[in-house]
Each structure stands twice: as C-alpha cells, then as structure tokens.
Amino acid sequence: MRHLTGWISSLLALLSLSGFADAVELDVTSYDSIKAACELLAVGLMDYYWGDQNGGTVGMFTHPYYWWEAGGAWGSMIDYSFFFDNDTYVPTIIEGMLYQTGDDNNYMPLNQTTTEGNDDQVFWGIAAIEAAERNFTNPPSNKPQWLYLAQGVFNTMAWRWDNSTCGGGLRWQIFQWNSGYDYKNTVSNAGLFHMSARLARYTGNTSYVDWASKVYDWLVETKFVTEGETTEGYYFAYDGASTDQNCTEVKPYQWTYNAAMLLSGCAYLYNFTEDQTWLTRTEGLLLGATVFFNSSTNIMYEAACQQAGTCNNDQRSFKAYLARFMGLTSVLAPSTYDTINELLTASAKAAALSCSGGTDGHTCGMDWFVEGWDGKYGLGEQMSALECIQSLLVTKRPAPYTNKTGGSSTGSGDAGMGTTEVKDKPLDLNTGDTVGAAIITAFIGATVLALGYFVLK
C-alpha cells in the first residue's frame, strides 16, 4: 500500500468494505497468535510512514497526520519491538526519532517550532523515555541518548510553567501567536506530570517527584481533575479552560489520553515512592477511566466523539495511549491488573475483529462495537488496535527498566537547555540522576529566538 499514491490507496480501501480471508485472527491466550496479529498491524501502521521515501520527511508520517502523532506512533513501534524482541524496524525508529530532535535536543525542531504546542512536544518526550525504559537500542555515542532527550523535553516544558494566570500551569500553545495560547489544557499538564513521574522512577531523582506533585495538585485545584466527588470514588480528567476567565470555566470533555497519562503517572509514582496516596489516585483514575468502556461488553471507545461520528484525525488515535498506559499501570500497580486485563482483553478481541478491511484485509477500523470493519481507516486506528493487542503481553516481558535494573540510557540534568540565553534555574537535581548532574543552571524557553523573526501560524 505504501507504494501507491494516497488517493489511490483511499479509493481502493473504500471499495473494500468487507473482510478478507487473511483478516486478523486473535487467540488472546496464545503468544503466537498475539504475535502474528501484531505483526500484521505493525506492517499496516508503517504503511503510513513515507519518511524514508522521495518527498517524505524523515520521522514524519504521511499527510494528514500531524507531527505530534508521529511521536506517538514511534512509541507504539518501540513497544512492538520490545514485546516481540523484533528488530525489523529499529533502524527506522532510531533514524526518525533522532532526525526530529531539533538543535537543542529537546524535540523543538525548526520545522515545527512556529506551530508546536506543549502537548505536541510531550509525545516525543514520552517516546524517548519509553525507549530508555525498554532498553531500546541506544543511538550512536555522538548523538543524544534517549534519557537525555526525555530530560530535554521535561526541562523546556517545566521552564514554561506559567504563574501569570490560573495560579500556574502550562498553556496549550508555546508561542503567543498561535491559536490556543490563551487556553490551559489538561493534556499539556498531564504530559508534564507523566514525564516527571517516569523520570523520577528511571533516575531515582526525587526532584522529579516534587514536580509531579506540583503539577497534579494544580490540576486538582483548577478542577481539571476531580477526585472522588461521587460516592463511587471516580476520578475524572476534563479538557481545560481559558486563561481569560482565569481557568474558572472548565470544559467538561473527557478524552482517553488525558486519563491515560494521569493514571499511569500515578502508577509510576506509587511504584517508585510506595506512597499509598499515589495508589489511591491510581485506583480512582482507573475507576474514572471505565467511562471509556461499554458497561456490558467492556469494549473501549472514545466517548466524547465516537458515538456522534465527530472524531478528528487526532482523536482517532487517543485510544492507543489509553491501552498502552493501562498496560503499564497494571504492571506498576499490580492491584489494578485484574481490572485492566479484563478491559484490555475484551477490547483486544473487538479490535482484532475491526482489523478486517482495506486492500490488505487487515486494515483496522475505529468503532470496535460493530464486530467487523466500520469502513474507517488511518494511522490512529492502526495504532489503537496494535497497542491494545500487544498490551496483553505486559506481564510476559520485564517491567520498565530503571538505571538500577538494567536501563543503559544516559542523560544530563541540563539537557535541552540550549546555548542562546540563560533564563532560569528551576530545578535542583541530586545524585540520583544517572549522570550525577547537581543543578540545572539554565533553560532556553524559545528555540525560535534563533530565527530572529516571528512567523504567524
């Protein structure tokens, strides 16, 4: 499919509304069956990657998929390589992730900095810390390492913490000229929280715990996250609010990826600190996340848009992150395993049934309720099915590594700070960091300064 033009692929897919003989079959109790299914889905996912072909951009997936979703897709493929000990795509993943790092190695490349948001940047940071935790093949020694890149993302995001409105928090957009700069959203802040939690556990550095606590407390104070306000104890994550009203009018939309990053972030912190507060939050957020599963079938869906048929290209990938991060949560907080495994197993069976369309016979759809392909297709649909099915193997492979349990990636406390201008000293790192950096002395908050002019989005 990757060798056809986009419009020909679309036309052929639309003409093939029924399943094929080689549609994905899945026995959730069989490693070999899961492996065979995921191999087909990984091939389908990589059909959307044209970065290694003429006219493509290395690291980017084909139109209409935005830069942030490429970061998400590489995270999916890192897990695929890890779960099945498969190095087929390793060179392509490394090439793509290194090409997009930017001059300061913080995933702010010049081809994105005029339009990049905090939420965009963090998905590349998540892929980088995931690579470190999975002991994914390290980059060449003359290139930035996975931990370094993750720390670079964290550092530049933490520098942008904005106390001018809403008592703190990150804005959705990084630059003032972009639509959404006047909005503080959960995904950007949940992303910073999530990165803090994972860096804390990987490095053993409690300064990251302090940052995670700061972000989480702010999310609760603004009511972007509500804790146990119902008798059942559900914790919910909502979309965000405008800075014009000082974040007092919260938009009540719930998205799977917000719940996913908060849920797993709490599980990482519980696993690292053994503080019961983080387990309570993990369990509350897991209970809240059940709103994304049909109450009778346990099948996952994007509640805010799927039933209405209004999910855009971004939103059609969100279930991928809920599946991935629920899988991680079940390992890091073992008391959640039974509940999560039940939900992921039912969803994986339904996802496999949806992967029966297209010219290849294993193109995945979005609506997993229909017991077959729903006629929709895309990078997000393929990612979501792959993540859901491969997450069934979370207990068959080692838990995420740390620098004390086999993780080999190295970093630096001042990663991503750049060289243009000293800005701040926001974080003190202790000897728990893998490279022993003592203090972050500076941050660069806007790589775009090097451009010398503003470009309107």
Side-chain angles (χ1 to χ4, degrees):
M1 185 166 68
R2 68 191 301 174
H3 300 296
L4 300 174
T5 62
W7 72 269
I8 293 177
S9 297
S10 300
L11 178 60
L12 290 175
L14 289 172
L15 290 174
S16 305
L17 294 177
S18 61
F20 281 70
D22 59 348
V24 170
E25 296 183 4
L26 178 65
D27 176 357
V28 296
T29 66
S30 166
Y31 172 85
D32 289 340
S33 177
I34 294 170
K35 179 180 179 181
C38 289
E39 183 175 352
L40 289 174
L41 302 190
V43 169
L45 188 156
M46 291 302 292
D47 279 343
Y48 293 96
Y49 182 63
W50 295 1
D52 55 359
Q53 298 183 42
N54 290 336
T57 300
V58 176
M60 291 282 289
F61 284 70
T62 187
H63 178 80
Y65 303 106
Y66 293 122
W67 180 75
W68 81 273
E69 196 167 338
W74 294 130
S76 297
M77 294 306 297
I78 288 168
D79 264 2
Y80 172 77
S81 299
F82 173 77
F83 282 129
F84 303 106
D85 199 21
N86 185 321
D87 62 1
T88 301
Y89 301 103
V90 167
T92 304
I93 297 169
I94 293 174
E95 180 187 41
M97 288 189 62
L98 293 182
Y99 191 84
Q100 294 291 331
T101 61
D103 291 342
D104 293 328
N105 297 318
N106 54 19
Y107 286 112
M108 293 190 69
L110 289 180
N111 66 333
Q112 295 295 325
T113 46
T114 57
T115 58
E116 185 177 341
N118 282 302
D119 55 341
D120 302 320
Q121 184 187 18
V122 79
F123 277 91
W124 287 84
I126 289 171
I129 189 61
E130 186 174 354
E133 291 174 350
R134 297 307 197 189
N135 225 7
F136 189 70
T137 303
N138 288 316
S141 59
N142 64 338
K143 299 291 185 180
Q145 303 299 293
W146 304 127
L147 177 60
Y148 187 99
L149 291 166
Q151 289 173 310
V153 170
F154 168 83
N155 288 345
T156 48
M157 290 183 71
W159 179 86
R160 299 185 199 114
W161 187 261
D162 171 38
N163 290 313
S164 66
T165 60
C166 309
L170 288 178
R171 294 174 181 266
W172 175 16
Q173 296 298 320
I174 296 171
F175 303 112
Q176 295 183 29
W177 54 83
N178 285 333
S179 177
Y181 183 77
D182 59 352
Y183 194 75
K184 292 190 175 179
N185 59 358
T186 296
V187 63
S188 296
N189 290 279
L192 178 58
F193 167 76
H194 184 87
M195 291 295 296
S196 304
R198 293 178 80 154
L199 286 167
R201 183 178 178 275
Y202 188 90
T203 66
N205 186 329
T206 58
S207 295
Y208 291 117
V209 178
D210 295 339
W211 258 101
S213 298
K214 175 179 178 177
V215 179
Y216 189 92
D217 289 346
W218 180 84
L219 286 164
V220 173
E221 289 165 4
T222 56
K223 297 191 180 299
F224 287 15
V225 171
T226 60
E227 294 191 330
E229 293 185 1
T230 65
T231 56
E232 296 86 356
Y234 290 86
Y235 285 31
F236 292 132
Y238 299 112
D239 189 75
S242 171
T243 58
D244 292 342
Q245 286 81 40
N246 204 36
C247 296
T248 57
E249 299 180 14
V250 179
K251 291 188 177 179
Y253 308 119
Q254 294 189 65
W255 302 105
T256 50
Y257 71 164
N258 285 336
M261 286 192 286
L262 291 164
L263 169 68
S264 52
C266 289
Y268 270 94
L269 290 167
Y270 167 66
N271 188 270
F272 174 55
T273 67
E274 299 183 347
D275 184 338
Q276 291 296 308
T277 299
W278 293 114
L279 179 59
T280 298
R281 289 168 170 167
T282 301
E283 292 172 341
L285 286 161
L286 177 57
L287 188 59
T290 59
V291 302
F292 302 114
F293 294 83
N294 180 279
S295 59
S296 60
T297 64
N298 285 335
I299 295 173
M300 186 189 302
Y301 71 111
E302 195 63 51
C305 64
Q306 183 174 311
Q307 298 294 77
T310 58
C311 298
N312 62 29
N313 279 323
D314 288 345
Q315 294 155 2
R316 285 155 68 170
S317 75
F318 289 178
K319 289 186 296 187
Y321 311 113
L322 183 57
R324 184 197 305 175
F325 293 148
M326 286 182 76
L328 284 169
T329 298
S330 72
V331 171
L332 297 166
S335 63
T336 68
Y337 175 80
D338 288 344
T339 297
I340 289 174
N341 183 59
E342 182 179 358
L343 295 169
L344 289 183
T345 298
S347 297
K349 292 176 180 178
L353 288 174
S354 86
C355 298
S356 56
T359 59
D360 55 13
H362 50 263
T363 292
C364 302
M366 180 175 184
D367 188 344
W368 298 345
F369 296 156
V370 301
E371 298 186 358
W373 187 44
D374 63 358
K376 294 184 171 62
Y377 61 95
L379 178 59
E381 287 87 342
Q382 211 71 21
M383 287 170 57
S384 296
L386 175 63
E387 290 278 17
C388 197
I389 295 171
Q390 69 187 13
S391 289
L392 297 176
L393 298 178
V394 288
T395 60
K396 307 301 182 185
R397 297 285 283 140
Y401 293 109
T402 72
N403 64 355
K404 293 182 179 179
T405 63
S408 60
S409 189
T410 58
S412 172
D414 61 358
M417 64 179 278
T419 57
T420 304
E421 183 178 349
V422 173
K423 286 287 188 182
D424 203 353
K425 190 182 79 170
L427 177 62
D428 185 11
L429 293 178
N430 61 35
T431 55
D433 192 87
T434 56
V435 294
I439 297 175
I440 287 183
T441 58
F443 282 100
I444 181 167
T447 306
V448 78
L449 289 174
L451 295 174
Y453 58 87
F454 296 112
V455 181
L456 294 177
K457 183 175 179 180

